[in-house]
Amino acid sequence: MVSAATGAVGSIVGQIAKIKGCCVVGITGSDKKCRWLTQELGFDAAINYKTADLERAIAQSCPNGVDVYFDNVGGSILDAVLTQVSEAIREIGQWIDQGKIKHAAEIVESLENAPSAILKLFDGNKKGKLIIKVSEEPI
C-alpha cells in the first residue's frame, strides 16, 4: 500500500515493490491518476481517496490485510490503512508485552513548551516518540 502513489517517491516505491514481487495498491487523488498507476506503472489496484470510502476500498483491494504501508501523507489516509493491519497491531502488542520490542517516549508538559519541544525533532535531542501533553485528561 502506497499513499501519494503518483508522486515522485510513491510512484518509484510502488514500481520497486512490483519488481520485488509484491501486490501493490496505490492511493491517489483522481481517477486519471488511478488509471496511470494501474495501466502504465503496473500497480495491482489504485484507490481515489477523494471519491472512495477508504476503509472499504482498502479492505476490498487487500482482502488479507495490508502487510506493508509506505506512508507519504499521514492523517485520515494513514488512519484508514491502519484499520487493515489488525494482525500486525496484535502481534506488535504481544511483542511489547513480552519485552521483545522496546520503545521510548518523551512527554513534554503544556502547550507553552511545544515550540521548544518541536525543535527536538530536528536537532536529534530526543529519544523515541515525542508527545506534547496539552491537558490533564489521559492521552
Side-chain angles (χ1 to χ4, degrees):
M1 179 73 56
V2 180
S3 64
T6 56
V9 173
S11 63
I12 298 299
V13 165
Q15 291 176 83
I16 291 170
K18 285 303 299 177
I19 290 167
K20 292 294 194 173
C22 297
C23 174
V24 179
V25 178
I27 300 173
T28 191
S30 76
D31 291 339
K32 181 178 180 181
K33 290 178 179 180
C34 285
R35 285 189 297 277
W36 185 65
L37 290 175
T38 57
Q39 294 174 6
E40 298 291 324
L41 301 188
F43 282 49
D44 296 283
I47 298 168
N48 180 344
Y49 73 89
K50 292 181 179 177
T51 59
D53 174 330
L54 274 177
E55 288 186 31
R56 181 175 294 142
I58 293 167
Q60 288 173 343
S61 297
C62 305
N64 296 320
V66 174
D67 294 317
V68 177
Y69 177 50
F70 194 89
D71 182 28
N72 289 299
V73 296
S76 62
I77 294 175
L78 173 62
D79 294 341
V81 173
L82 289 178
T83 67
Q84 301 302 312
V85 293
S86 52
E87 182 179 342
I89 291 169
R90 181 185 50 76
E91 284 185 323
I92 292 169
Q94 288 175 347
W95 295 333
I96 290 170
D97 291 344
Q98 296 167 352
K100 293 179 179 178
I101 292 180
K102 295 172 179 52
H103 62 93
E106 180 176 345
I107 300 173
V108 176
E109 299 284 338
S110 175
L111 194 55
E112 296 167 349
N113 296 319
S116 61
I118 289 173
L119 292 176
K120 293 181 176 195
L121 296 172
F122 305 106
D123 66 11
N125 201 8
K126 71 164 193 68
K127 180 173 76 175
K129 184 175 199 135
L130 179 63
I131 300 169
I132 301 171
K133 185 176 177 183
V134 295
S135 72
E136 292 300 314
E137 307 248 337
I139 296 177

